[in-house]
Amino acid sequence: QVNGNIINAFEKKITLNGTALPEKVVAAGVNLLNGPIVFTGSADGKPFTVKADDSKFRWFFGLLSGKGPKLMDDSETHADYQGAGSGGPIDISTDVHWEYDSTAKVKVKITPKGKTAKLDNLKLIIPFTKEGGINFIANALNMRLSNVAGTIPGKGKVGTVWDSTKVPYQKMTVGSFVPFMWIGNLNSGITWFADSDQGWWPTDKHPAIEIVRTKDGRVNLVFNIASEPVEFSEPREIEFGLNVNPVRPYSDHRGSSITFGFLVETGHWDPKQSKSKVFARRYPEN
């Protein structure tokens, strides 16, 4: 069900802001986001955050709150939005297509405000709450061998506690891009995925993706679109996907029972903390 900038689906409520990116996600009773999914960066040593122009959206789209994106089309199976934002020397425009299973395809166009834009860095950040961001999964080139999963490390440490250079058997020509990242808890989470790092500025000097713990103990999933100074004069386009899970009712399939029977026997899963039929191996095992 779609109501303006709010999407209601199985066990979840997704609220979008004017950039058409989620600013609040509640899934399986857990508040996952500590704030909006956002582009941030620095230019000439000055930090900036890309924010929606609320006054523009009120004028053109007639939204009472002035904070929502433009709903282009919706039905029982999908919802299409357009959004826009501005920050520092760049503007962004977004086209977002949501499916009924809470999977979204996000297209972002980054445009210089003038003839050229000079950036010190540019990041996409997904900020998780303490209860939302407990465990993680990373899958890379080889789905079986390039797999890391478990509790997010570095409890009590402030700063980067994990990065994409730690994924085994992952070889990129340049950089350490990983196409699949999941952060969540035993009941729900958010998956980020992408075909490639096309539109990024890859480098071997800095990790492409990081999990950063904040002073208050939360974690941010950080994508370093540009981790070094760059200059560009033509629009850059980036595509990625989002999925908010669980996507459907839990299955009675015997495979799930076997999996969690093993987890109970080995002491890796506490049935008092999560439902008896969670999505199969939606980890963690440590």
Side-chain angles (χ1 to χ4, degrees):
Q1 296 178 339
V2 176
N3 182 17
N5 65 327
I6 298 175
I7 300 171
N8 292 286
F10 173 73
E11 286 202 8
K12 65 183 68 72
K13 181 178 180 180
I14 303 167
T15 305
L16 311 179
N17 63 17
T19 65
L21 296 174
E23 67 176 9
K24 186 175 182 180
V25 174
V26 178
V30 180
N31 179 25
L32 296 176
L33 292 183
N34 190 63
I37 297 177
V38 66
F39 284 91
T40 68
S42 175
D44 292 328
K46 298 178 181 178
F48 66 84
T49 299
V50 175
K51 297 181 179 180
D53 185 343
D54 291 347
S55 61
K56 179 170 63 177
F57 283 109
R58 277 196 295 270
W59 177 261
F60 285 108
F61 306 143
L63 298 176
L64 294 177
S65 67
K67 296 182 180 180
K70 183 178 181 181
L71 178 60
M72 305 300 294
D73 184 49
D74 72 286
S75 71
E76 291 183 348
T77 61
H78 76 275
D80 293 331
Y81 290 91
Q82 287 185 348
S86 180
I90 62 172
D91 295 319
I92 72 164
S93 59
T94 56
D95 286 283
V96 184
H97 173 81
W98 285 92
E99 290 283 344
Y100 65 95
D101 62 356
S102 308
T103 301
K105 183 176 184 179
V106 182
K107 297 181 180 181
V108 182
K109 180 181 288 186
I110 305 170
T111 306
K113 286 185 177 179
K115 292 183 177 180
T116 62
K118 296 181 180 180
L119 299 173
D120 302 328
N121 60 69
L122 182 65
K123 306 174 186 289
L124 172 67
I125 299 177
I126 305 180
F128 287 86
T129 60
K130 285 185 178 180
E131 63 273 22
I134 300 173
N135 313 308
F136 82 111
I137 305 170
N139 279 328
L141 182 66
N142 184 305
M143 200 66 170
R144 284 186 179 274
L145 297 178
S146 303
N147 179 286
V148 182
T151 302
I152 295 174
K155 186 176 182 180
K157 176 185 175 182
V158 177
T160 301
V161 295
W162 182 90
D163 66 67
S164 53
T165 64
K166 295 180 173 65
V167 177
Y169 301 100
Q170 168 71 344
K171 295 181 180 180
M172 297 291 293
T173 304
V174 180
S176 56
F177 170 82
V178 173
F180 178 100
M181 293 292 305
W182 175 86
I183 286 184
N185 54 82
L186 288 176
N187 292 313
S188 59
I190 296 176
T191 303
W192 176 97
F193 58 99
D195 288 331
S196 71
D197 57 1
Q198 183 174 347
W200 297 32
W201 288 271
T203 177
D204 289 324
K205 294 182 180 179
H206 305 279
I209 303 171
E210 298 174 285
I211 298 177
V212 179
R213 196 176 297 279
T214 63
K215 291 182 179 180
D216 60 2
R218 300 180 300 98
V219 294
N220 293 332
L221 182 56
V222 179
F223 302 90
N224 292 310
I225 308 300
S227 55
E228 297 177 302
V230 295
E231 181 177 346
F232 66 107
S233 56
E234 298 293 331
R236 308 275 293 198
E237 294 188 354
I238 297 171
E239 290 190 8
F240 59 89
L242 295 171
N243 171 269
V244 181
N245 43 74
V247 299
R248 60 184 180 183
Y250 306 121
S251 172
D252 287 318
H253 190 276
R254 187 165 177 264
S256 298
S257 301
I258 291 175
T259 298
F260 283 102
F262 161 76
L263 293 178
V264 170
E265 290 168 6
T266 56
H268 294 315
W269 176 64
D270 184 357
K272 294 180 181 179
Q273 294 186 21
S274 63
K275 299 177 181 179
S276 59
K277 292 176 288 186
V278 192
F279 18 101
R281 277 183 63 93
R282 190 53 109 179
Y283 294 100
E285 288 191 346
N286 72 11

